[in-house]
């Protein structure tokens, strides 16, 4: 018998305490979480700081092996990322090989805890509430972009 992960809305808040997260961004991210959760919405931190290795894995998703080789991926990396589930048949999730905001601890991606599990499939009003809270704290929300990124907020200060 395998144990099922018991999620709580604060289960991943520890990601904000990573020393690579920008201190000013951390304060703003925590304020957003407090505001949204204070409205009774189950906002869950998904990712904050993203290592170069994780960014490369995400970049590999949705791209062919030949495309990856053209930008310097080795065959060993490609095999590793494919085994981890970053397949060419899945949708592209990032256009950046070197993340400006996640890579400097100035971005946060969130999702929602519904029926005990993380999900991104929630009413649009939940995302709007998240976006308004982020903007109220001086963050940029990816939901306003041409290529919308609802889970993403970023701090553009120093």
């Amino acid at each position: 018998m395998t144990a099922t992960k018991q999620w709580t809305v604060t289960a991943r808040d520890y990601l904000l305490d990573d020393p690579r997260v920008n201190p000013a961004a951390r304060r703003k991210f925590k304020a957003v979480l407090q505001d949204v959760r204070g409205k009774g919405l189950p906002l869950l931190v998904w990712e904050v700081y993203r290592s170069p290795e994780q960014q490369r894995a995400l970049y590999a998703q949705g791209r062919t092996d030949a495309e990856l080789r053209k930008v310097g991926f080795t065959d060993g990396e490609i095999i590793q990322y494919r085994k981890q589930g970053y397949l060419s048949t899945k949708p592209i999730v990032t256009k950046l090989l070197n993340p400006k905001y996640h890579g400097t601890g100035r971005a946060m991606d969130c999702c929602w805890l519904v029926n005990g599990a993380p999900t991104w499939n929630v009413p649009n009003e939940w995302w709007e509430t998240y976006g308004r809270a982020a903007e109220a704290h001086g963050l940029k929300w990816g939901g306003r972009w041409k290529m919308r990124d609802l889970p993403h907020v970023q701090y553009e200060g120093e």
Side-chain angles (χ1 to χ4, degrees), residues 11-106:
R12 295 174 63 87
D13 284 6
Y14 71 90
L15 294 172
L16 294 168
D17 297 325
D18 185 319
R20 296 168 293 191
V21 175
N22 176 286
R26 176 184 299 113
R27 287 189 296 277
K28 291 175 179 289
F29 297 158
K30 286 183 176 185
V32 170
L33 293 169
Q34 184 175 3
D35 288 357
V36 175
R37 290 172 180 166
K39 294 181 185 323
L41 295 175
L43 188 62
L44 179 69
V45 175
W46 193 251
E47 187 171 42
V48 185
Y49 171 78
R50 186 180 297 155
S51 70
E53 296 79 18
Q54 177 63 14
Q55 185 67 23
R56 285 179 75 80
L58 289 170
Y59 185 86
Q61 182 170 303
R63 292 179 173 85
T64 66
D65 294 0
E67 290 172 310
L68 296 176
R69 284 187 197 97
K70 283 182 185 176
V71 295
F73 281 69
T74 66
D75 287 341
E77 281 180 296
I78 294 168
I79 291 166
Q80 174 188 344
Y81 297 143
R82 299 306 187 221
K83 285 181 180 177
Q84 292 173 349
Y86 299 99
L87 306 176
S88 61
T89 54
K90 289 185 174 179
I92 289 177
V93 293
T94 184
K95 63 181 179 173
L96 301 175
L97 194 50
N98 299 304
K100 181 176 181 179
Y101 292 99
H102 278 292
T104 57
R106 293 185 294 140

Side-chain angles (χ1 to χ4, degrees), residues 96-121:
L96 301 175
L97 194 50
N98 299 304
K100 181 176 181 179
Y101 292 99
H102 278 292
T104 57
R106 293 185 294 140
M108 175 174 72
D109 291 340
C110 287
C111 62
W112 307 91
L113 187 64
V114 177
N115 297 323
T119 185
W120 290 259
N121 186 19

